[in-house]
Amino acid sequence: MRIIAAVLALVLFVMLWQHLRYLHARRNAVEDRQPILHSPSNFHVITYLEIGEGSDLITELSRLRREIENTGSAHVVYAGQAAFTLASSQLGPQTWDAVIFIRYPSRESYDAQAKSAGHREALAAFSQTYSYGMRRNPLVNALIPQLLLAVRIFDIARGNWKVEDLAPIPAPNDPQQARLLESRIGNLLKLRSVNDDAILIFNLALPGNEEQRTANSSYDLKMLTRMAALAHGPMHVGQAVALDGNARFEQAILVYYPGVSYFADLVGSRFYQGIMGDKQLGDTLVVPTVPILSKLE
């Protein structure tokens, strides 16, 4: 009986430790203000923003944050400066400068605020905006760190104690591909001076056909295994809800990586480039960002 009690105590301790280290990363590195548990009726909105020429990013985002939170019911959970945009085939070429993630009490609350004059005026200060909704299940999201812990335990049980080093990939033979990779890594590294503690990637995804789903599952498993070993990974997952335009996505996934330098090394590594071919979706919009919520007044 004592052995069983000791095992249960150990399991609970490890689970608590896992929860606390992800919570520490959420609050401190990512500057994410999402409550761990919230009402299932809460409605979340991802808003992509393009800054007009001559405008200051922090000034405009601070003004937008004040407008959003003036009502007292909506809260900016996260704000990030974008590194680059992997544009959706449905939406066409885009270059977003920032992304904010907002929690509303309900979909009705969002609709009412989106129609208000103050909200429309605050968004009009940007040269372009695009919003997509997200239904976020609080229980599922609260369990993500524990699911990653299970992935790590299973991987260790298979004998995989060490994490593969991020050996750099040789320059691609295709000049265009080489320039694209160099540009993306360069844009990432420029943001080290803004925040090198975390990267949060906004993903809107539309699953592909059966063959694509199978390949993508292989990519997901390899990435999740690495994330579980290094204490990062998905921070928000949910059902995507169309708000603007005709583009349709099914999933909204926000993924945390421990810093610009780490993510730049990952993007340029043999490991990442070796599995990228398996990342197959019907469509996706991807925007990596660094946290700047603490800079907004």
Side-chain angles (χ1 to χ4, degrees):
M1 194 69 179
R2 289 181 179 177
I3 294 176
I4 295 175
V7 170
L8 287 175
L10 178 61
V11 169
L12 290 174
F13 172 80
V14 172
M15 291 177 67
L16 178 61
W17 166 76
Q18 174 79 346
H19 172 80
L20 290 176
R21 68 174 180 160
Y22 272 88
L23 180 61
H24 182 268
R26 176 193 292 274
R27 294 290 181 253
N28 295 283
V30 187
E31 300 179 10
D32 182 300
R33 298 298 174 254
Q34 175 68 56
I36 298 303
L37 294 175
H38 57 80
S39 170
S41 65
N42 282 180
F43 187 70
H44 292 72
V45 175
I46 302 167
T47 297
Y48 304 85
L49 304 155
E50 182 180 330
I51 304 297
E53 186 176 352
S55 297
D56 180 73
L57 177 68
I58 299 301
T59 300
E60 296 302 334
L61 283 178
S62 296
R63 183 181 297 117
L64 178 60
R65 181 189 184 185
R66 288 194 298 271
E67 174 56 37
I68 289 170
E69 296 185 341
N70 268 346
T71 62
S73 59
H75 298 278
V76 175
V77 170
Y78 172 87
Q81 182 171 338
F84 56 81
T85 302
L86 298 183
S88 153
S89 59
Q90 296 179 82
L91 296 169
Q94 296 169 316
T95 304
W96 299 114
D97 295 308
V99 187
I100 58 172
F101 188 50
I102 312 155
R103 186 181 83 255
Y104 293 88
S106 64
R107 171 64 190 269
E108 292 73 22
S109 175
Y110 162 73
D111 288 339
Q113 185 161 342
K115 293 174 184 176
S116 70
H119 188 83
R120 293 199 305 270
E121 288 173 7
L123 290 179
F126 299 87
S127 59
Q128 187 176 359
T129 68
Y130 181 69
S131 293
Y132 221 91
M134 175 182 181
R135 297 199 183 279
R136 182 186 189 277
N137 185 304
L139 181 58
V140 169
N141 280 269
L143 289 175
I144 288 175
Q146 306 306 327
L147 294 174
L148 289 169
L149 176 61
V151 170
R152 181 57 180 157
I153 292 171
F154 179 73
D155 199 39
I156 289 174
R158 294 169 58 204
N160 298 324
W161 289 86
K162 295 184 178 180
V163 181
E164 181 181 338
D165 291 335
L166 293 177
I169 191 172
N173 294 325
D174 183 346
Q176 183 176 359
Q177 185 179 0
R179 285 194 298 271
L180 182 60
L181 181 60
E182 182 180 359
S183 172
R184 287 176 181 167
I185 292 176
N187 287 335
L188 281 166
L189 294 178
K190 287 177 184 177
L191 293 181
R192 283 185 298 189
S193 61
V194 178
N195 190 324
D196 197 20
D197 292 333
I199 283 274
L200 190 67
I201 301 184
F202 286 79
N203 301 273
L204 293 178
L206 179 67
N209 57 36
E210 185 175 348
E211 183 178 347
Q212 289 174 315
R213 288 172 189 252
T214 300
N216 200 67
S217 294
S218 174
Y219 166 84
D220 285 345
L221 179 59
K222 290 171 184 173
M223 284 299 298
L224 285 172
T225 299
R226 183 177 184 87
M227 291 171 178
L230 297 176
H232 61 93
M235 194 154 282
H236 301 276
V237 298
Q239 176 190 357
V241 180
L243 299 174
D244 296 343
N246 298 318
R248 292 295 177 267
F249 300 95
E250 292 184 9
Q251 302 166 345
I253 308 169
L254 282 58
V255 185
Y256 153 64
Y257 292 87
V260 172
S261 300
Y262 170 81
F263 190 67
D265 289 343
L266 177 66
V267 170
S269 70
R270 290 180 180 272
F271 166 78
Y272 189 75
Q273 295 298 325
I275 66 174
M276 272 299 293
D278 287 335
K279 187 176 183 180
Q280 299 182 28
L281 295 163
D283 191 21
T284 185
L285 172 62
V286 181
V287 183
T289 68
V290 296
I292 57 171
L293 185 61
S294 62
K295 301 179 185 295
L296 307 186
E297 298 176 0

